[in-house]
Amino acid sequence: MVSKFADVVAAAERIEGYAHRTPVLSSRIVDEVVGARVLFKCENFQRMGAFKFRGAFNAIARLSARQREAGVVAYSSGNHAQAIALAAQLLGVRATIVMPHDAPASKVAATKGYGGRIVGYDRYAEDREEIGRALAEEEGLALIPPYDHPDVLAGQGTAAKELFDEVGELDALFAPLGGGGLLSGSALAAREMSPGCRVYGVEPEAGDDGRRSLRAGEVVRIDTPRTIADGAQTTHLGEHTFEVIRREVDDVLTASDDELVEAMRLFAAHLKLVVEPTGCLGLAGARQLPGELAGERIGVLVSGGNVDLDRYAALLTS
Ligand SMILES: *Cc1c(COP(=O)(O)O)cnc(C)c1O
Protein backbone atom coordinates (compact mmCIF):
# COMPACT_ATOMS: atom_id res chain seq x y z
CA MET A 1 0.00 0.00 0.00
CA VAL A 2 1.40 3.38 -1.04
CA SER A 3 0.78 6.17 1.47
CA LYS A 4 -0.93 9.26 0.09
CA PHE A 5 -1.99 12.70 1.28
CA ALA A 6 -5.59 11.45 1.34
CA ASP A 7 -4.58 9.12 4.21
CA VAL A 8 -3.38 12.16 6.19
CA VAL A 9 -6.67 13.95 5.52
CA ALA A 10 -8.64 10.90 6.69
CA ALA A 11 -6.45 10.67 9.81
CA ALA A 12 -7.08 14.36 10.56
CA GLU A 13 -10.83 13.69 10.51
CA ARG A 14 -10.42 10.65 12.76
CA ILE A 15 -8.39 12.42 15.45
CA GLU A 16 -10.50 15.57 15.46
CA GLY A 17 -11.94 16.20 18.91
CA TYR A 18 -9.43 13.81 20.52
CA ALA A 19 -6.04 15.31 19.64
CA HIS A 20 -5.23 18.92 20.47
CA ARG A 21 -4.82 21.38 17.65
CA THR A 22 -1.45 22.62 18.91
CA PRO A 23 -0.37 26.27 18.69
CA VAL A 24 2.08 27.79 16.20
CA LEU A 25 4.54 30.11 17.96
CA SER A 26 7.37 32.35 16.84
CA SER A 27 10.02 34.67 18.25
CA ARG A 28 11.67 37.64 16.55
CA ILE A 29 14.90 36.91 18.43
CA VAL A 30 14.97 33.31 17.19
CA ASP A 31 14.19 34.58 13.67
CA GLU A 32 17.35 36.69 13.90
CA VAL A 33 19.41 33.77 15.16
CA VAL A 34 18.23 31.51 12.31
CA GLY A 35 18.13 34.25 9.67
CA ALA A 36 14.59 33.40 8.54
CA ARG A 37 11.00 33.74 9.73
CA VAL A 38 10.49 30.56 11.77
CA LEU A 39 7.06 29.16 12.63
CA PHE A 40 7.14 26.49 15.34
CA LYS A 41 4.40 23.84 15.46
CA CYS A 42 4.35 23.02 19.16
CA GLU A 43 3.63 19.32 19.64
CA ASN A 44 5.13 19.54 23.12
CA PHE A 45 1.59 20.76 23.91
CA GLN A 46 -0.01 17.69 22.32
CA ARG A 47 -1.81 15.21 24.58
CA MET A 48 0.73 13.11 26.52
CA GLY A 49 3.34 15.63 25.45
CA ALA A 50 4.33 14.58 21.92
CA PHE A 51 2.99 14.18 18.37
CA LYS A 52 2.95 10.38 18.80
CA PHE A 53 -0.62 10.57 20.10
CA ARG A 54 -1.74 11.38 16.54
CA GLY A 55 -0.43 8.21 14.92
CA ALA A 56 -1.35 5.97 17.84
CA PHE A 57 -4.93 7.22 17.92
CA ASN A 58 -5.34 6.95 14.15
CA ALA A 59 -3.98 3.40 14.10
CA ILE A 60 -6.22 2.16 16.92
CA ALA A 61 -9.27 3.95 15.51
CA ARG A 62 -8.71 2.09 12.23
CA LEU A 63 -8.89 -1.38 13.82
CA SER A 64 -11.93 -3.59 13.26
CA ALA A 65 -14.45 -4.08 16.07
CA ARG A 66 -13.06 -7.58 16.66
CA GLN A 67 -9.47 -6.29 16.89
CA ARG A 68 -10.52 -3.56 19.31
CA GLU A 69 -12.24 -6.15 21.44
CA ALA A 70 -9.02 -8.16 21.69
CA GLY A 71 -6.76 -5.19 22.48
CA VAL A 72 -3.44 -3.78 21.27
CA VAL A 73 0.21 -4.29 22.13
CA ALA A 74 3.21 -1.98 21.62
CA TYR A 75 6.87 -2.08 22.59
CA SER A 76 8.44 1.21 23.62
CA SER A 77 10.06 2.85 26.61
CA GLY A 78 9.30 6.30 25.29
CA ASN A 79 6.53 8.47 23.92
CA HIS A 80 4.92 5.75 21.79
CA ALA A 81 4.12 3.75 24.95
CA GLN A 82 2.23 6.64 26.51
CA ALA A 83 0.58 7.48 23.20
CA ILE A 84 -0.76 3.95 22.76
CA ALA A 85 -1.90 3.72 26.37
CA LEU A 86 -3.80 7.02 26.21
CA ALA A 87 -5.29 6.50 22.74
CA ALA A 88 -6.43 2.99 23.74
CA GLN A 89 -8.00 4.31 26.93
CA LEU A 90 -9.94 6.97 25.01
CA LEU A 91 -11.19 4.37 22.53
CA GLY A 92 -12.07 1.82 25.21
CA VAL A 93 -9.42 -0.67 24.07
CA ARG A 94 -7.09 -2.65 26.36
CA ALA A 95 -3.40 -1.82 25.82
CA THR A 96 -0.36 -3.89 26.72
CA ILE A 97 3.01 -2.16 26.64
CA VAL A 98 6.30 -4.07 26.58
CA MET A 99 8.81 -1.98 28.56
CA PRO A 100 12.29 -2.71 29.94
CA HIS A 101 12.47 -3.44 33.71
CA ASP A 102 14.79 -0.43 34.07
CA ALA A 103 12.57 2.08 32.21
CA PRO A 104 12.39 5.47 33.99
CA ALA A 105 9.83 5.33 36.80
CA SER A 106 8.11 8.46 35.47
CA LYS A 107 7.44 6.78 32.11
CA VAL A 108 6.18 3.58 33.70
CA ALA A 109 3.92 5.63 35.98
CA ALA A 110 2.57 7.72 33.08
CA THR A 111 1.82 4.62 31.02
CA LYS A 112 0.09 2.93 33.98
CA GLY A 113 -1.78 6.15 34.68
CA TYR A 114 -3.38 5.88 31.24
CA GLY A 115 -4.53 2.37 32.11
CA GLY A 116 -1.88 0.44 30.19
CA ARG A 117 -0.82 -3.07 31.28
CA ILE A 118 2.96 -3.24 31.46
CA VAL A 119 4.93 -6.36 30.60
CA GLY A 120 8.55 -5.98 31.67
CA TYR A 121 11.60 -7.45 29.98
CA ASP A 122 15.36 -7.48 30.38
CA ARG A 123 16.72 -5.14 27.72
CA TYR A 124 20.14 -6.83 27.76
CA ALA A 125 18.93 -10.40 27.45
CA GLU A 126 15.57 -10.29 25.69
CA ASP A 127 14.24 -9.03 22.38
CA ARG A 128 11.25 -6.72 22.82
CA GLU A 129 9.98 -7.21 19.29
CA GLU A 130 9.89 -10.95 19.86
CA ILE A 131 8.00 -10.49 23.13
CA GLY A 132 5.55 -8.12 21.43
CA ARG A 133 4.96 -10.50 18.56
CA ALA A 134 4.53 -13.47 20.92
CA LEU A 135 1.96 -11.56 22.99
CA ALA A 136 0.16 -10.50 19.82
CA GLU A 137 -0.06 -14.11 18.73
CA GLU A 138 -0.96 -15.71 22.08
CA GLU A 139 -3.58 -13.15 23.04
CA GLY A 140 -4.75 -12.12 19.59
CA LEU A 141 -3.60 -8.51 20.12
CA ALA A 142 -2.99 -6.03 17.31
CA LEU A 143 0.67 -4.97 17.32
CA ILE A 144 1.10 -1.25 16.69
CA PRO A 145 4.68 -0.32 15.80
CA PRO A 146 6.11 3.13 16.65
CA TYR A 147 6.63 4.30 13.07
CA ASP A 148 6.61 1.67 10.34
CA HIS A 149 2.88 1.44 9.72
CA PRO A 150 0.72 3.31 7.15
CA ASP A 151 -1.88 4.38 9.74
CA VAL A 152 0.80 5.58 12.14
CA LEU A 153 2.62 7.68 9.56
CA ALA A 154 -0.64 9.13 8.21
CA GLY A 155 -1.57 10.19 11.74
CA GLN A 156 1.82 11.81 12.33
CA GLY A 157 1.34 13.81 9.11
CA THR A 158 -1.62 15.65 10.62
CA ALA A 159 0.69 17.96 12.60
CA ALA A 160 2.24 19.38 9.42
CA LYS A 161 -1.19 19.49 7.78
CA GLU A 162 -2.46 21.69 10.62
CA LEU A 163 0.62 23.90 10.27
CA PHE A 164 0.00 24.51 6.55
CA ASP A 165 -3.72 24.98 7.20
CA GLU A 166 -2.85 27.74 9.66
CA VAL A 167 0.10 29.57 8.05
CA GLY A 168 -0.21 28.77 4.33
CA GLU A 169 2.69 27.81 2.12
CA LEU A 170 6.26 27.70 3.40
CA ASP A 171 9.71 27.73 1.80
CA ALA A 172 11.06 24.88 3.93
CA LEU A 173 9.95 22.46 6.65
CA PHE A 174 12.18 20.79 9.25
CA ALA A 175 11.11 17.61 11.07
CA PRO A 176 12.95 15.50 13.68
CA LEU A 177 13.81 12.07 12.29
CA GLY A 178 13.95 8.75 14.11
CA GLY A 179 12.25 5.91 12.28
CA GLY A 180 10.59 8.36 9.93
CA GLY A 181 6.90 8.33 10.84
CA LEU A 182 6.80 12.06 11.51
CA LEU A 183 8.98 12.97 8.51
CA SER A 184 7.14 10.82 5.98
CA GLY A 185 3.70 11.99 7.09
CA SER A 186 4.89 15.60 7.07
CA ALA A 187 6.33 15.22 3.58
CA LEU A 188 2.99 13.96 2.26
CA ALA A 189 1.29 17.05 3.71
CA ALA A 190 3.95 19.43 2.36
CA ARG A 191 3.91 18.07 -1.19
CA GLU A 192 0.18 18.60 -1.45
CA MET A 193 -0.35 21.78 0.56
CA SER A 194 2.86 23.65 -0.27
CA PRO A 195 4.35 22.10 -3.41
CA GLY A 196 7.43 24.33 -3.52
CA CYS A 197 8.36 23.65 0.12
CA ARG A 198 11.69 21.89 0.68
CA VAL A 199 11.36 19.14 3.28
CA TYR A 200 14.24 18.25 5.60
CA GLY A 201 14.58 15.50 8.16
CA VAL A 202 16.97 16.15 11.04
CA GLU A 203 18.55 13.25 12.94
CA PRO A 204 21.24 12.95 15.63
CA GLU A 205 24.79 13.21 14.28
CA ALA A 206 25.67 9.95 16.08
CA GLY A 207 22.95 8.09 14.16
CA ASP A 208 22.95 9.33 10.58
CA ASP A 209 21.35 6.22 9.09
CA GLY A 210 18.56 8.32 7.56
CA ARG A 211 20.95 10.50 5.60
CA ARG A 212 22.94 7.47 4.49
CA SER A 213 19.76 5.67 3.47
CA LEU A 214 18.60 8.61 1.36
CA ARG A 215 21.99 8.77 -0.37
CA ALA A 216 22.20 4.99 -0.87
CA GLY A 217 18.62 4.61 -2.09
CA GLU A 218 18.03 1.78 0.39
CA VAL A 219 17.53 1.41 4.14
CA VAL A 220 20.91 1.47 5.94
CA ARG A 221 21.12 -0.14 9.41
CA ILE A 222 23.37 1.06 12.23
CA ASP A 223 23.98 0.20 15.91
CA THR A 224 21.89 2.06 18.50
CA PRO A 225 23.40 5.56 18.48
CA ARG A 226 24.61 7.29 21.64
CA THR A 227 22.81 10.61 21.82
CA ILE A 228 20.73 12.68 24.23
CA ALA A 229 17.94 12.57 21.62
CA ASP A 230 16.39 9.40 23.07
CA GLY A 231 13.31 9.64 20.82
CA ALA A 232 15.51 9.27 17.75
CA GLN A 233 17.78 6.43 18.90
CA THR A 234 16.55 4.27 16.06
CA THR A 235 18.77 1.92 14.10
CA HIS A 236 16.99 2.08 10.75
CA LEU A 237 14.10 3.69 8.88
CA GLY A 238 10.94 1.72 8.26
CA GLU A 239 9.91 0.12 5.00
CA HIS A 240 6.77 2.26 4.69
CA THR A 241 8.43 5.43 5.94
CA PHE A 242 11.45 5.08 3.63
CA GLU A 243 9.22 4.54 0.63
CA VAL A 244 7.79 8.03 1.22
CA ILE A 245 11.03 9.64 2.37
CA ARG A 246 13.03 8.59 -0.71
CA ARG A 247 10.31 10.03 -2.94
CA GLU A 248 9.36 13.24 -1.12
CA VAL A 249 12.17 14.41 1.17
CA ASP A 250 14.81 16.83 -0.13
CA ASP A 251 17.59 16.07 2.34
CA VAL A 252 18.45 14.79 5.79
CA LEU A 253 20.57 16.97 8.09
CA THR A 254 22.21 16.06 11.39
CA ALA A 255 22.70 17.82 14.72
CA SER A 256 25.19 17.14 17.51
CA ASP A 257 24.17 16.82 21.16
CA ASP A 258 25.73 20.25 21.86
CA GLU A 259 23.64 21.80 19.10
CA LEU A 260 20.53 20.20 20.57
CA VAL A 261 21.29 21.71 23.98
CA GLU A 262 21.79 25.10 22.35
CA ALA A 263 18.40 24.80 20.65
CA MET A 264 16.87 23.72 23.97
CA ARG A 265 18.20 26.94 25.51
CA LEU A 266 16.73 29.06 22.69
CA PHE A 267 13.34 27.43 23.23
CA ALA A 268 13.50 28.04 26.99
CA ALA A 269 14.83 31.59 26.83
CA HIS A 270 12.84 33.07 23.95
CA LEU A 271 9.74 30.93 23.47
CA LYS A 272 9.36 29.84 27.12
CA LEU A 273 9.01 26.27 25.91
CA VAL A 274 10.21 23.10 27.62
CA VAL A 275 11.33 20.90 24.72
CA GLU A 276 12.88 17.44 25.07
CA PRO A 277 16.23 16.87 23.34
CA THR A 278 14.69 14.99 20.39
CA GLY A 279 12.19 17.82 19.93
CA CYS A 280 15.09 20.22 19.39
CA LEU A 281 16.31 18.48 16.22
CA GLY A 282 14.24 20.62 13.82
CA LEU A 283 15.53 23.94 15.10
CA ALA A 284 19.10 22.64 15.33
CA GLY A 285 18.78 21.47 11.71
CA ALA A 286 17.48 24.82 10.46
CA ARG A 287 20.55 26.44 12.00
CA GLN A 288 22.76 24.36 9.70
CA LEU A 289 21.54 26.25 6.59
CA PRO A 290 21.91 29.95 7.46
CA GLY A 291 22.67 31.36 3.99
CA GLU A 292 20.15 29.20 2.22
CA LEU A 293 17.22 30.25 4.39
CA ALA A 294 17.84 34.03 4.28
CA GLY A 295 14.58 35.90 3.90
CA GLU A 296 12.51 32.71 3.85
CA ARG A 297 9.48 31.62 5.87
CA ILE A 298 10.08 28.18 7.33
CA GLY A 299 8.26 25.68 9.54
CA VAL A 300 9.85 23.70 12.37
CA LEU A 301 8.08 20.77 14.02
CA VAL A 302 8.70 20.78 17.78
CA SER A 303 7.98 17.10 18.30
CA GLY A 304 7.72 16.74 22.08
CA GLY A 305 8.37 18.06 25.56
CA ASN A 306 8.72 14.97 27.74
CA VAL A 307 11.95 15.31 29.65
CA ASP A 308 12.67 14.61 33.31
CA LEU A 309 13.07 17.99 34.99
CA ASP A 310 16.31 16.96 36.72
CA ARG A 311 17.75 15.89 33.39
CA TYR A 312 16.46 19.06 31.72
CA ALA A 313 18.10 21.26 34.34
CA ALA A 314 21.36 19.33 34.08
CA LEU A 315 21.40 19.68 30.28
CA LEU A 316 20.66 23.41 30.39
CA THR A 317 23.47 24.07 32.84
CA SER A 318 25.97 21.73 31.17
C1 LIG B 1 9.33 9.33 18.26
C2 LIG B 1 9.82 10.72 18.33
C3 LIG B 1 10.52 11.32 17.27
C4 LIG B 1 10.90 10.55 16.02
O1 LIG B 1 9.77 10.19 15.28
P1 LIG B 1 9.82 9.08 14.14
O2 LIG B 1 8.44 9.02 13.63
O3 LIG B 1 10.29 7.81 14.76
O4 LIG B 1 10.81 9.55 13.12
C5 LIG B 1 10.88 12.65 17.39
N1 LIG B 1 10.59 13.37 18.49
C6 LIG B 1 9.93 12.84 19.53
C7 LIG B 1 9.64 13.70 20.71
C8 LIG B 1 9.51 11.50 19.49
O5 LIG B 1 8.84 10.97 20.53
Side-chain angles (χ1 to χ4, degrees):
M1 177 190 143
V2 178
S3 294
K4 316 176 291 304
F5 178 61
D7 302 324
V8 179
V9 174
E13 284 164 13
R14 244 172 247 125
I15 68 172
E16 173 140 36
Y18 294 96
H20 293 319
R21 202 182 167 88
T22 52
V24 177
L25 303 182
S26 61
S27 150
R28 291 290 168 190
I29 295 175
V30 174
D31 289 355
E32 272 171 38
V33 170
V34 176
R37 177 74 175 145
V38 192
L39 300 163
F40 293 100
K41 176 68 170 167
C42 296
E43 288 294 298
N44 54 313
F45 292 132
Q46 187 50 263
R47 295 188 76 162
M48 53 61 59
F51 73 93
K52 284 219 173 58
F53 178 74
R54 297 172 180 273
F57 190 93
N58 187 52
I60 298 175
R62 285 264 293 156
L63 296 175
S64 69
R66 179 182 295 184
Q67 285 174 309
R68 286 206 211 185
E69 184 85 18
V72 297
V73 59
Y75 43 82
S76 164
S77 52
N79 288 330
H80 181 61
Q82 291 169 62
I84 289 290
L86 175 59
Q89 184 182 54
L90 292 170
L91 289 163
V93 172
R94 284 183 309 126
T96 299
I97 315 291
V98 180
M99 271 187 160
H101 292 305
D102 60 353
S106 58
K107 295 202 161 150
V108 176
T111 305
K112 274 190 184 153
Y114 295 132
R117 169 177 68 138
I118 296 181
V119 172
Y121 75 100
D122 178 348
R123 75 160 91 212
Y124 302 102
E126 294 178 290
D127 178 356
R128 65 180 194 174
E129 294 189 26
E130 228 166 74
I131 296 171
R133 272 194 297 267
L135 277 167
E137 212 159 286
E138 283 158 24
E139 303 184 14
L141 310 178
L143 181 64
I144 307 202
Y147 53 85
D148 200 18
H149 190 290
D151 297 329
V152 172
L153 81 84
Q156 316 305 33
T158 60
K161 178 183 179 296
E162 284 176 18
L163 175 63
F164 290 115
D165 273 335
E166 183 164 338
V167 308
E169 297 197 18
L170 294 168
D171 297 305
L173 179 68
F174 295 81
L177 171 60
L182 181 62
L183 178 61
S184 55
S186 304
L188 291 174
R191 278 299 152 261
E192 188 80 18
M193 301 179 75
S194 183
C197 179
R198 305 188 304 286
V199 178
Y200 298 98
V202 189
E203 64 188 349
E205 194 174 85
D208 67 341
D209 60 293
R211 177 158 68 177
R212 284 159 56 186
S213 300
L214 197 61
R215 305 257 195 285
E218 62 183 19
V219 175
V220 171
R221 288 168 186 265
I222 59 168
D223 291 336
T224 302
R226 277 176 196 276
T227 167
I228 59 170
D230 50 339
Q233 277 184 308
T234 42
T235 58
H236 57 91
L237 300 177
E239 227 174 275
H240 296 283
T241 58
F242 183 63
E243 194 273 324
V244 176
I245 289 168
R246 72 187 300 182
R247 205 174 65 215
E248 310 288 5
V249 169
D250 291 87
D251 205 359
V252 174
L253 310 168
T254 64
S256 69
D257 283 357
D258 286 348
E259 288 165 339
L260 293 179
V261 169
E262 220 176 295
M264 189 183 264
R265 280 208 189 92
L266 287 172
F267 280 124
H270 305 301
L271 288 133
K272 319 302 172 195
L273 292 182
V274 175
V275 182
E276 64 183 277
T278 317
C280 295
L281 281 164
L283 173 55
R287 295 195 66 196
Q288 318 276 343
L289 305 175
E292 197 175 312
L293 303 177
E296 292 193 338
R297 224 164 68 98
I298 68 171
V300 167
L301 300 176
V302 181
S303 54
N306 291 332
V307 53
D308 241 44
L309 283 186
D310 291 345
R311 177 158 179 258
Y312 183 67
L315 287 169
L316 282 183
T317 53
S318 64

